[in-house]
Amino acid sequence: MSTERTLEQREAGQEIAPTTAAPVPLKRRGRRGGIANWGPPVAVALLIIAAWYLVGSVLLDPSKSYLMPPPHAVLAVYFDPQVAPDMYEALWNTAVVALTGLLVAIVLGVVWAIAMNQAKWIERSLYPYAVILQTIPILALVPLIGFWFGFDFVARVIVAILIALFPMVSNTLFGLQSVDAAQRELFTLQRANRWIVLKKLQFPAALPAIFAGMRISAGLAVVGAIVGDFFFQRGTPGIGALISKYTARLNSEELFAAIILASLFGVVVFWFFGWLGRRVVGKWYDFA
């Protein structure tokens, strides 16, 4: 029937409207919850615990069982009244150092990237030093930092900043420079100044990259705080100082417990910035 109408319209000289359906906007990938979300990580964790028991109880020489204590013995450390309070206090001290260094790295990294984005000569002048900051062996600088700034809170924060800074600089700069050319030309036609372009176009477009850099820097800030604890044994002890002490005394159960506790803290900080990124840009960007 539709073919006959088309032939009649052609014979009558009428124009035929295109029958292509209008494009349907793509829906943002949905997020599954429940077992689909948490099931695989829990399954992997159970496999790791089973392998841990297997290696420690079956494959390892009984005379060297202290090298890999069973998981239930490590778990008991968190409830030991003689060990747990010191461990939680040390974790809190490390958390304060790591979060302080992370906040400073975020502010400094964003400002640094914005400055380089404003002019090519600024980028050519400053970006090599950002690369040097990433490639320089921080462990070699730690003694100098201790000589210059002491061996307590300030020195540890500086170590955390140095380790966590580069991802913020590189990700923010990438986000600012990845603005669509057509949108940039539209702002140019409207004679918008640099501040308006940065505020209304570049910075909102760079937010996903900025939050991705925050997640990377969050984990590195925790690493930096623990590295500072290892070398700066004076002052307020952190979780890194406890790990060093447990290693020297061959307290394997306490050592495993401290390492796992520090790792879980890093995971929590990483997850928090992922959650924050989804809250801020998740309505218009599929932030994983």
Side-chain angles (χ1 to χ4, degrees):
M1 188 67 180
S2 59
T3 306
E4 295 178 357
R5 288 183 179 178
T6 303
L7 293 175
E8 293 176 356
Q9 290 177 349
R10 287 179 176 175
E11 293 175 356
Q14 298 177 0
E15 295 182 356
I16 302 175
T19 58
T20 305
V24 179
L26 295 176
K27 294 183 179 180
R28 192 168 61 92
R29 176 167 52 90
R31 297 186 180 277
R32 296 177 294 178
I35 298 178
N37 194 12
W38 296 103
V42 171
V44 172
L46 293 177
L47 290 176
I48 292 174
I49 293 174
W52 189 346
Y53 273 114
L54 178 64
V55 173
S57 303
V58 179
L59 302 180
L60 195 63
D61 188 349
S63 62
K64 299 180 180 180
S65 59
Y66 66 91
L67 296 176
M68 185 168 288
H72 63 269
V74 175
L75 183 63
V77 174
Y78 298 125
F79 305 97
D80 189 344
Q82 296 181 350
V83 179
D86 294 337
M87 189 174 296
Y88 294 139
E89 182 180 0
L91 178 66
W92 170 255
N93 296 332
T94 299
V96 173
V97 172
L99 295 178
T100 303
L102 176 61
L103 292 177
V104 176
I106 289 173
V107 174
L108 186 58
V110 171
V111 173
W112 191 343
I114 290 176
M116 291 191 295
N117 182 67
Q118 295 304 303
K120 281 296 182 182
W121 68 269
I122 299 179
E123 180 181 353
R124 289 193 296 267
S125 301
L126 297 182
Y127 194 76
Y129 295 98
V131 176
I132 292 174
L133 189 65
Q134 174 68 11
T135 58
I136 193 171
I138 299 298
L139 296 179
L141 291 181
V142 168
L144 294 177
I145 295 173
F147 294 154
W148 294 338
F149 301 98
F151 297 90
D152 205 347
F153 180 78
V154 175
R156 299 177 187 184
V157 169
I158 291 175
V159 174
I161 294 172
L162 292 177
I163 294 180
L165 182 58
F166 182 77
M168 286 304 309
V169 176
S170 60
N171 280 46
T172 304
L173 182 62
F174 170 78
L176 293 173
Q177 294 179 343
S178 61
V179 176
D180 185 67
Q183 295 179 351
R184 188 187 295 272
E185 292 177 359
L186 178 61
F187 273 74
T188 303
L189 292 175
Q190 297 296 326
R191 297 181 180 179
N193 57 35
R194 289 187 176 183
W195 169 249
I196 296 297
V197 173
L198 175 64
K199 180 181 178 182
K200 299 293 185 180
L201 177 62
Q202 292 179 314
F203 194 77
L207 281 177
I210 292 175
F211 278 103
M214 286 182 184
R215 290 203 299 184
I216 299 172
S217 296
L220 293 178
V222 176
V223 173
I226 295 176
V227 169
D229 290 336
F230 265 105
F231 284 87
F232 305 139
Q233 298 290 335
R234 306 178 192 175
T236 306
I239 196 71
L242 286 186
I243 292 175
S244 178
K245 182 178 72 173
Y246 295 149
T247 302
R249 297 180 180 179
L250 297 179
N251 295 333
S252 58
E253 297 174 359
E254 290 81 357
L255 176 61
F256 272 77
I259 293 174
I260 293 174
L261 192 63
S263 302
L264 290 177
F265 172 68
V267 170
V268 169
V269 176
F270 181 88
W271 173 86
F272 171 77
F273 281 99
W275 171 84
L276 185 62
R278 289 191 294 272
R279 295 284 294 180
V280 175
V281 303
K283 294 182 179 180
W284 53 271
Y285 183 84
D286 191 9
F287 192 80

